Amino acid sequence: MKTAKPPESHLPVPSPASLERERRVLLDLGNDLTRVREKSDLITLFSNRLKNLYYFTHALVTLIDYTDSTYSALLYDIDRSPIRLHPGYRQLFRSRFPLSEPFIQRALAAQEPLSFILEDVKDQPQSPAYLRVNYEGGIRELLMTKLSNAEKPIGFIHLYSDKVGSFTPEFRSIMNGIAPQLSSAVVNILKNEAILEKEKEKSFLLDFSSDIARVRTKAELQTAISRVLDQTLHTKLAMVQLIEADGIHLAPFLYDRTLFEKSPAQFEALVAEPITVEEHYTAQVLASRDGLLFSVAEEARSGNAFARLWQTTGFRNMYSLPLRAGNQNIGTIWLLADRLSQLMLKGICAQISVAIANIRANEQLLAYKKQLESENSYLKEQISDLYNFSEIIGSGPAMQEVYRLVSLVANSPTTVLILGETGTGKELIARALHQASPRKDQLMVKVNCAALPAHLIESELFGHERGAFTGAIERRIGKFELAHGSTLFLDEIGELPLELQSKLLRVLQERELERLGGKGPIKVDVRLIAATNRHLEEEVRAGRFRADLYFRLNVFPLTLPPLRERPEDLEPLLHFFVGKYSKQTGRPIRKIAPKVLQQLRSYAWPGNVRELEHLVERSVLLAADGLLQEVYLPRSSPDQGPPALPLHRSLKEVERGYIIEVLQRCGGKISGAGGAAEILDLPGNTLHSKMKKLGITKADYFTAR
């Protein structure tokens, strides 16, 4: 039964001035709506502006949630409406109404605003409860205007009046015209709120990260999680389970026993039950990318024993996510909450994963500490035995000069640049320098600059902070810091990229470094020894090596002679390596054939001492009956082209130089087995005659002895 007739016929015909005023007000309203970002501002501005033109008691905006097919109140203006006195009205703001109701389906299908007489619709089947509550509060008519975004309904604007006939055709036309601007304003508000919520979540995660970063023990982690999740997010940590060393079973790591105080026996039984990675729910979680959401009520109805326990907590949802360190699963986490965003879930789990990995690493470090302490003295003793002068074989003048220089510089902190061809023993000399220095009680740190990719060398040398670059999941201490108070050996320094040479120079000059992603300098006390097989002067001229770094490294150059210039050391080196590999391989060599030394002296040794060592090792393995009959030399040296022709020398000079070189290789022996005459394929008398003719004396081929 209608309480009043529509008042359109009683309204005076609007004058042109009145129409112009209304257009101006609506234009201003539309402009204002596009700038609104706060919900309270939107409903207040809209309601007040519109009430200057038309009569209604209050306004309400509802929003559609397509995830559960419901709609609910987003914002409202009831401050001057009689409905505010109804005891059940505010409860409606917390309620959700299904979209399937015939009443709301009619509003969704309409292409323009619809007005309803509440007396006619409040008692219809499946009518929403707010119709009756409004009627009981004195409201008689409702005007509903659909709000859309990109032609998709997003909600409604509800206008209520305590008089029937308030919503004239002109009023409905005005609402139809303002609906797009109002829809845009609602969308803008939702986007702004989403941005603010994201920022709030990021701020929360930053604070959470700060708390977690200070965690060192399991108890500290549980305290941090409980404080932040419970107090800030109204979320409870049900359990963290970690995969054990066998990769199959999971053991409880953290859980909140008070959460299940209503069913303690059931909780203890579930905790004691062994869980494997193949358990139905665990397997699903570990296989998921971003975790799973379980409805507590639905899972309980399905017979899930865990869910019946969850139900006692009063939370609606259980969130379960995999905990990962890098790409490796380390366990699962189970969180009880009514609602959590994906960003929060991923952020929380990432931080907890890092904290757990750190706690585990810290526990392992503590477990290994005593073992390392007991092994440290033994290791130092072993290194002292392995890397000292006793393994540097050579007694000729060239090596004697090396020993002299090592003795001069060993006790000082001076930078040493060791030069020499590949295989001449640069690392042995570096270790000898370290062992003879005051820093010998500390382990020498070595970096092979040629063995690391260019993009990793900086991190290897100077270290990095967590997050300094992609893949930097934890802090790394660089080799310079590790060598603090000791010696750093940079092998193959000639391979160091140009962009890192300047950083190395700064560290050498300033005695301080900065980690990648670090916030301040770190002082270091390091004695540097560098080595290279390159000619650094040529590299500087070619622009491949910084001149200032070269001058800084070249404070005390130490050049190692190639093996071909040390023929007198071939025999002691041979005996040393034969003894070494006889012992290692279990194949004792009792005798070395005379021609073996002849072979070694006739070879050019492009690989120097290292090549000799490897050839002796192979020959020992191939030797039979304890007799080393020969060393299996390569037929031609690798990467060795034809010898350069000495075009500036006469034939007589070339012949004289070659005979002297052969005599030196043969240790001055002229004739007989292994003598120079045999190598030159000349009778002994003929060689004597040539030597006399060319003026070759013992002083020429015995100078190296």
Side-chain angles (χ1 to χ4, degrees):
M1 179 177 174
K2 299 181 180 179
T3 58
K5 292 178 11 179
E8 289 99 318
S9 58
H10 301 289
L11 292 174
V13 177
S15 66
S18 177
L19 289 174
E20 179 61 28
R21 181 180 60 81
E22 291 179 10
R23 291 192 191 97
R24 188 178 300 110
V25 170
L26 291 177
L27 179 62
D28 291 342
L29 177 61
N31 289 335
D32 289 342
L33 288 176
T34 60
R35 292 192 293 270
V36 168
R37 292 295 180 270
E38 298 291 336
K39 287 192 295 189
S40 57
D41 293 344
L42 173 64
I43 194 66
T44 301
L45 182 148
F46 172 81
S47 186
N48 290 344
R49 285 288 187 95
L50 205 57
K51 282 179 180 177
N52 290 331
L53 300 173
Y54 300 100
Y55 177 78
F56 59 95
T57 57
H58 64 282
L60 180 77
V61 174
T62 54
L63 193 66
I64 295 173
D65 186 348
Y66 285 100
T67 59
D68 59 0
S69 297
T70 62
Y71 66 104
S72 57
L74 173 68
L75 43 103
Y76 45 86
D77 173 30
I78 62 170
D79 290 346
R80 289 178 287 176
S81 173
I83 195 66
R84 71 184 187 280
L85 303 176
H86 192 286
Y89 197 76
R90 290 191 178 274
Q91 178 61 35
L92 297 176
F93 299 144
R94 297 187 289 274
S95 303
R96 307 181 74 84
F97 303 95
L99 285 175
S100 58
E101 294 170 343
F103 173 81
I104 205 67
Q105 284 295 314
R106 182 181 171 189
L108 279 171
Q111 299 302 314
E112 57 186 25
L114 287 181
S115 63
F116 299 90
I117 305 300
L118 295 189
E119 188 176 2
D120 296 341
V121 296
K122 63 183 176 63
D123 294 323
Q124 289 181 356
Q126 300 183 48
S127 287
Y130 59 82
L131 296 180
R132 171 167 288 280
V133 171
N134 273 281
Y135 185 80
E136 291 173 355
I139 304 303
R140 294 296 177 260
E141 189 173 4
L142 163 64
L143 179 67
M144 291 188 68
T145 306
K146 183 169 57 179
L147 304 177
S148 301
N149 181 32
E151 299 184 358
K152 181 180 181 180
I154 61 170
F156 302 92
I157 175 71
H158 304 237
L159 298 181
Y160 294 91
S161 175
D162 56 0
K163 301 175 183 178
V164 172
S166 297
F167 306 120
T168 64
E170 180 186 12
F171 195 169
R172 291 197 295 272
S173 176
I174 291 293
M175 287 303 302
N176 195 46
I178 203 65
Q181 287 92 335
L182 187 58
S183 299
S184 297
V186 170
V187 169
N188 288 339
I189 285 173
L190 295 176
K191 288 181 178 178
N192 190 52
E193 286 188 339
I195 291 171
L196 292 175
E197 184 64 23
K198 282 281 177 66
E199 292 302 319
K200 182 180 177 182
E201 290 177 352
K202 289 178 181 178
S203 176
F204 164 81
L205 290 175
L206 186 61
D207 293 341
F208 186 58
S209 173
S210 178
D211 283 352
I212 291 295
R214 292 190 289 269
V215 163
R216 291 294 179 270
T217 66
K218 185 164 66 173
E220 290 176 356
L221 176 62
Q222 182 147 22
T223 300
I225 292 174
S226 299
R227 181 175 64 251
V228 176
L229 296 189
D230 188 17
Q231 296 177 7
T232 308
L233 296 179
H234 307 294
T235 302
K236 290 286 188 179
L237 171 67
M239 183 170 290
V240 171
Q241 294 175 309
L242 298 185
I243 300 173
E244 296 187 302
D246 61 6
I248 298 173
H249 292 88
L250 290 94
F253 182 72
L254 291 177
Y255 50 83
D256 184 356
R257 193 185 303 272
T258 63
L259 189 59
F260 306 102
E261 57 189 7
K262 294 181 180 178
S263 303
Q266 186 184 2
F267 174 72
E268 295 296 342
L270 288 175
V271 169
E273 183 179 340
I275 298 291
T276 71
V277 294
E278 296 177 353
E279 187 270 328
H280 177 66
Y281 292 99
T282 302
Q284 288 185 62
V285 173
L286 291 175
S288 68
R289 179 181 176 184
D290 298 321
L292 301 175
L293 167 63
F294 298 99
S295 167
V296 173
E298 290 179 11
E299 290 297 318
R301 285 194 295 269
S302 71
N304 182 347
F306 295 103
R308 287 195 292 271
L309 182 61
W310 303 341
Q311 219 167 15
T312 64
T313 66
F315 287 97
R316 292 206 305 261
N317 295 314
M318 174 66 86
Y319 296 86
S320 183
L321 293 93
L323 295 175
R324 295 188 174 109
N327 294 323
Q328 182 180 6
N329 287 327
I330 63 171
T332 57
I333 183 171
W334 301 78
L335 299 169
L336 279 162
D338 289 334
R339 191 178 184 88
L340 280 175
S341 75
Q342 193 66 27
L343 174 65
M344 294 294 282
L345 284 170
K346 293 178 69 174
I348 290 168
C349 289
Q351 296 296 338
I352 292 176
S353 296
V354 171
I356 290 174
N358 289 341
I359 289 170
R360 278 184 152 183
N362 192 47
E363 289 174 347
Q364 288 178 340
L365 285 173
L366 292 174
Y368 291 148
K369 186 177 180 181
K370 291 184 179 179
Q371 180 183 352
L372 289 174
E373 287 174 351
S374 64
E375 292 177 354
N376 188 39
S377 58
Y378 171 76
L379 179 60
K380 289 180 180 179
E381 182 181 344
Q382 291 291 84
I383 289 175
S384 177
D385 291 340
L386 285 173
Y387 300 108
N388 54 34
F389 283 105
S390 66
E391 197 165 308
I392 304 174
I393 307 299
S395 57
M399 289 306 298
Q400 289 296 332
E401 177 63 13
V402 170
Y403 300 149
R404 186 183 72 83
L405 294 174
V406 168
S407 299
L408 287 174
V409 78
N411 282 322
S412 73
T414 302
T415 299
V416 177
L417 178 61
I418 305 176
L419 305 168
E421 297 177 6
T422 298
T424 50
K426 294 187 287 295
E427 184 176 349
L428 285 177
I429 295 297
R431 292 196 179 275
L433 279 165
H434 174 69
Q435 287 300 313
S437 75
R439 301 168 185 255
K440 63 181 179 181
D441 291 335
Q442 304 297 321
L443 296 181
M444 187 181 88
V445 178
K446 176 192 172 185
V447 177
N448 189 327
C449 299
L452 290 170
H455 65 283
L456 292 180
I457 295 179
E458 183 173 4
S459 173
E460 185 74 14
L461 289 178
F462 310 125
H464 65 251
E465 298 289 348
R466 185 168 66 88
F469 51 84
T470 303
I473 61 173
E474 59 185 14
R475 172 188 286 180
R476 179 185 180 90
I477 302 300
K479 291 297 192 289
F480 262 97
E481 283 186 79
L482 287 176
H484 180 69
S486 184
T487 303
L488 177 64
F489 176 46
L490 295 183
D491 200 7
E492 305 293 354
I493 190 126
E495 310 298 327
L496 196 67
L498 265 174
E499 59 269 21
L500 286 180
Q501 292 177 20
S502 59
K503 295 187 178 182
L504 174 60
L505 178 64
R506 180 181 178 276
V507 173
L508 294 179
Q509 291 176 338
E510 305 296 332
R511 298 292 178 179
E512 65 181 26
L513 58 86
E514 189 169 318
R515 298 190 196 116
L516 283 172
K519 297 182 179 178
I522 300 170
K523 292 288 184 181
V524 288
D525 172 24
V526 175
R527 198 268 182 90
L528 182 70
I529 300 176
T532 182
N533 59 3
R534 290 179 177 267
H535 295 286
L536 290 186
E537 298 95 331
E538 296 179 6
E539 296 295 302
V540 170
R541 285 193 291 270
R544 292 187 293 268
F545 203 86
R546 292 178 62 103
D548 46 5
L549 178 59
Y550 170 65
F551 296 136
R552 185 65 184 78
L553 294 173
N554 200 40
V555 177
F556 196 94
L558 203 161
T559 303
L560 300 187
L563 186 56
R564 60 182 172 275
E565 295 179 7
R566 301 166 50 195
E568 67 279 357
D569 292 332
L570 280 169
E571 186 172 353
L573 283 168
L574 171 64
H575 286 290
F576 175 81
F577 290 133
V578 166
K580 176 180 177 179
Y581 289 107
S582 293
K583 184 178 180 180
Q584 284 189 10
T585 61
R587 300 176 64 85
I589 302 298
R590 292 183 297 274
K591 186 178 180 181
I592 301 174
K595 73 171 185 178
V596 170
L597 194 57
Q598 177 188 339
Q599 283 180 293
L600 301 184
R601 286 171 173 165
S602 64
Y603 185 60
W605 299 110
N608 292 294
V609 179
R610 186 181 296 124
E611 182 184 16
L612 172 62
E613 180 178 5
H614 295 163
L615 289 175
V616 171
E617 180 182 8
R618 177 170 178 259
S619 301
V620 167
L621 288 169
L622 295 172
D625 301 325
L627 174 63
L628 186 67
Q629 292 186 332
E630 63 176 316
V631 174
Y632 294 88
L633 298 171
R635 294 186 178 181
S636 60
S637 301
D639 301 324
Q640 188 177 33
L645 296 176
L647 301 180
H648 62 287
R649 300 168 67 190
S650 66
L651 179 60
K652 180 179 179 180
E653 290 173 325
V654 171
E655 186 179 17
R656 184 178 187 277
Y658 180 61
I659 291 174
I660 290 173
E661 183 180 346
V662 173
L663 283 166
Q664 288 175 342
R665 291 183 181 279
C666 295
K669 187 176 182 180
I670 297 175
S671 56
E678 185 179 63
I679 294 173
L680 295 169
D681 198 18
L682 292 172
N685 291 335
T686 303
L687 178 56
H688 273 290
S689 298
K690 278 186 173 291
M691 289 169 61
K692 186 176 181 180
K693 181 180 178 180
L694 295 170
I696 299 173
T697 66
K698 286 186 178 181
D700 293 317
Y701 54 85
F702 274 117
T703 54
R705 292 189 67 82

